[in-house]
Amino acid sequence: MTAIARNFGSSVRRLEDKRFVMGMGRYVDDLIFPGQTYAAFVRTPYAHARIMGIDATEALGAPGVLRVLTGADFAALPAMPCGWMIHSRDGEPMRVGERRVVAIDTVRHVGEAVAVVIAESREAARDAVDLVQVDYDELPAVIDVAEAGDEGRPQLHPIAPGNLAFDWELGDSAAVARAMETAAHRITLTLRNNRLVPNAIEPRAINAQWDPIEERLDVRMTHQNPIGMRMFYAAAYGLAAEHKLRMVSPDVGGGFGSKAHNYPEEVAVAFAAKLVCRPVKWTAERTEAFLSDAHGRDHLTTATLALDADGRFLAIEVDTKAAMGAYLSSTGSLIPTYMYATMLSGQYDIPAIHNRTRAYYTNSCPVDAYRGAGRPEAAYVVERIVSLAARKLGLDQAEIRRRNFITSFPHQTPVIWEYDSGDYSAGLDQALALSDYAGFPARKAEAAARGKLRGIGISAYVEACGIGPTAILAKLGGGAGMWDSAEVRVHPVGTVEVLSGAHSHGQGHATTIAQLVSDKFGVPMDSISVIQGDTDRIQAGTGTYGSRASVGMSATARACDRIVDKGKLIVAHLMGVPADTVSFEGGIYSSTATNQTIPFGEMAFAAHAANAFPTAEIEPGLVAQSFFDPPNFTFPSGVHVAEVEIDPDTGVTEVVAFSAADDFGVLANPLIVEGQIMGGVAQGIGQALWEECRHDPETAQLLTASFMDYGMPRADSIPELRLGFGCSPSPSNPLGMKGCGEAGAIGAPPAIINAVCDALAVDHVDMPATAERVWLAIAGKAA
């Protein structure tokens, strides 16, 4: 038998790419079922209004229209849940404003659905939307989180006076206060983390059909966690019994967290399919996505860093106002609390930390997880104030970081998390070398000779990944198990099926899982099939978000190990040797008691052969399942270095160089990891320089509801990236892996803004650092 080359850890090209580049991907909008109908939503043009009446008479008379459903038709369904309970500082549970599947009496953000049209064609449904007459009584709106809690501002929910959803804290405020009193230096910074729209390349879509005979609901949906959605639809909404509810997420064109949530539109479509007893499909238009996909970020923060006379950090106090939007989304309450405040230690040994987060309702689309989900917000606060401290104290921005790095692991922070492993100084060294940090003064002088302002910025981030330690999360308000599962089936001819509870929407799981299994069994990768996203095939799982592929892959690894162990028993029987003398390596079983060897494929055939087992000690077949629940998060880290050039006459900023040194533990596939970093950095550059979800301050109308108005990075906006990797294996899973998918979006924004401030020699410029904002900073400094 020819030995199989080792695949896990090598840069294997993605197996799934061939069909994608050939246009053979299969997305929800591609699916057309017999008797297909289409849904279109009537959306409010007002940010805040009472619904006085709805007249659908003209729409119902339009050609092809089957039904027009209003909030009253969905009134029996429960309100949309928020899945994470947060308690305020005084112990009061968070105040949850009621969010209906379709608004019944009040709308609270532009684009909220007030009716849904079901028609024979997509065009008929869209045309009929314009025929539905809705009478509104417009109410005043509040959009800026800075003033949402002020006296006299419009109130969104009776249950939440002052629009306050919760007033939460983490850390030791007394210890921080003592450190502030004795500090030689106190640096204070107020900054905004701009609101973003996720903008996955494929919009949200669902196609649902109801079988009234079998009482079975079949749902195809663009989602990151189809198994979790089946539980929601069965348990929370009673749309069908769980064993009669099939949820399938086929190919998904990007998610970035925004497709991990429970949305009202999808629930409405599934419910409508039961009412009309025909398949109903809805695919969001791009402007609908801008209006209704959960937004990200939107924080207003004031932070104070205390330092001693040598520039060592003593404490940090962080006060944040977080905009929740009009309602608490699925995990909206988790993001500005446990996913944010727990990361305020950064890579630094800070003895005392305290955070207060006040979450406010505003008349805008709800805010939830978006690539990084709380970790980018924390890194931005920490890394901006560290660079400002370096500027104020006259220290080099690399030196102040190195002086305060955590140096031993595991490390218990003052804000819950225990970091697993790392070498932060090595990461900084690698980043400085990649960026030629020492040569920057010469490049700055050369740029000045051309009339340009050149700046360099550093960002040292750490994040919590591999969401899955159920025991830890349960103590923080989580209600669901966050483990993952895998089932490995070996067929008689030695081919392998892997049924994974994870779900790929661009991460390359079909490749990396095949690499792992290929090495475990010594079989070719083309003999391995990876199946995800179909609840009729996969028993359990928790999907993919929060860079948690290590959880699903660890479950796969353990299931493979169980197959190998059973194979040892089978081989021992075939060889007639004690089982404890059998070993397995490189696809070959051997024994110290004989010179016989048996390949994995031969063992697999024997496991299914007739009369292979004279006793009942070994069951026929070769199937193993594993559920993996990690004991802790993983904590990847990195140092990113950005260089920018600014035209002082126009304020236009160009990112001319970007280097990233990241430690993701063991890399399953360096090529795929590089792609993840590149995508994350591009999104991070976008947030830093262009992207911002803006509303009219009076009417709360979304002003950036299309790509004509919402700034996005393009290919020529991104420089060639210099990437390097360290390796501090995580002890929290058997593969030593850490997450990588969100790192670029975490490290890039503060690195870019630090570089802009360095170029301008100013204390701060808010994101996005648009040409106008930068030009005004230059003009203000000159004045």
Side-chain angles (χ1 to χ4, degrees), residues 149 165 284 321 401 407 596 651 760:
K321 293 181 177 180
R401 288 172 166 84
T407 57
Q596 297 182 70
L760 301 179

Side-chain angles (χ1 to χ4, degrees), residues 123-146:
E123 293 74 18
R126 289 172 177 169
D127 288 345
V129 163
D130 295 332
L131 302 178
V132 177
Q133 302 297 314
V134 185
D135 184 19
Y136 295 100
D137 177 19
E138 188 176 4
L139 301 171
V142 60
I143 194 63
D144 190 346
V145 70

